[in-house]
Amino acid sequence: MALLPLKELYLECLHCTKCDLSKTKTNMVFGEGNLRAKVMFVGEGPGRDEDLQGRPFVGRAGQFLNKMLEDVGLKREEVYIANIVKCRPPNNRVPLQSEIDACLPYLRNQVAIIAPKMIVCLGATAAKAIIDKNFKITVMRGQWFERKGVKIIATYHPAAILRDPEKLEPAMEDFKKIKEELDKLL
């Protein structure tokens, strides 16, 4: 796929029918935030609230993500937030590999446009799609990787932390690492 300007990419995603998720979505959830962000957060896919509003991370997990950002001195407006897939999988199931494969070129185009210095994978699905297909979130979270000059780290998805509060402390350690790296770039 040729690199598209943001507006054209948005329109292509809006009218995409490359997988069956396009048939069951309410809204396509493109991504949002600072177009010159140094850090880009990437989740798995839209949930119910995101599908209804057409915006990423606006439900309970999104509110929790905002609090985690604030706790390390970051504002949501400073970062860019997107997902591996742009349309909600039915019943919030994990996206199928074919759905991920159909949507990944769009995310790569977004990364090329935003040109972040750092990507934070929120959860195993994002880490498997971006870092390594065999990524184990419980073992490899909090470790830095580098691809084409971009630092990449994975941590627990905010929804996973809401389900299992014991994940909060290690996730906040990761967020502190992210902020420390970000401070080095400024």
Side-chain angles (χ1 to χ4, degrees):
M1 179 174 126
L3 189 64
L4 298 174
L6 195 65
K7 188 174 181 179
E8 287 179 38
L9 180 64
Y10 175 85
L11 291 173
E12 186 160 320
C13 290
L14 187 63
H15 301 292
C16 177
T17 57
K18 291 180 181 175
C19 76
D20 287 342
L21 294 181
S22 65
K23 297 174 185 169
T24 57
K25 74 176 185 324
T26 303
N27 286 295
M28 181 273 298
V29 181
F30 185 70
E32 70 180 26
N34 183 342
L35 298 180
R36 299 189 188 289
K38 298 274 187 253
V39 61
M40 184 175 197
F41 288 81
V42 179
E44 177 177 295
R48 182 181 55 87
D49 293 323
E50 292 75 14
D51 183 44
L52 291 172
Q53 293 185 42
R55 296 181 56 218
F57 282 89
V58 292
R60 279 185 65 224
Q63 292 165 10
F64 194 63
L65 174 62
N66 293 347
K67 177 155 181 10
M68 293 171 74
L69 290 168
E70 287 171 19
D71 286 351
V72 295
L74 289 170
K75 293 183 176 92
R76 184 177 172 118
E77 300 77 37
E78 295 175 292
V79 305
Y80 193 87
I81 303 173
N83 283 301
I84 295 296
V85 295
K86 307 289 181 214
C87 301
R88 179 186 183 205
N91 302 313
N92 285 356
R93 67 162 167 72
V94 174
L96 304 175
Q97 190 61 49
S98 60
E99 296 161 348
I100 291 169
D101 293 344
C103 237
L104 217 45
Y106 297 139
L107 179 64
R108 287 188 181 118
N109 198 145
Q110 282 177 295
V111 170
I113 291 168
I114 306 301
K117 302 291 183 203
M118 198 181 313
I119 295 174
V120 180
C121 299
L122 296 169
T125 300
K128 287 177 181 179
I130 294 172
I131 299 171
D132 185 293
K133 64 181 167 71
N134 298 313
F135 195 91
K136 304 277 187 248
I137 194 79
T138 54
V139 177
M140 301 167 76
R141 55 138 282 276
Q143 296 177 32
W144 287 106
F145 300 85
E146 193 168 323
R147 302 275 189 290
K148 298 178 183 174
V150 178
K151 290 186 152 262
I152 306 170
I153 192 170
T155 191
Y156 294 117
H157 192 288
I161 300 167
L162 288 170
R163 288 190 301 273
D164 180 2
E166 289 191 14
K167 290 182 167 78
L168 178 59
E169 190 176 326
M172 288 312 299
E173 289 172 17
D174 298 339
F175 268 68
K176 288 173 188 164
K177 283 183 190 178
I178 293 160
K179 177 65 166 118
E180 286 169 12
E181 278 302 310
L182 196 55
D183 288 345
K184 290 178 191 175
L185 298 172
L186 300 176

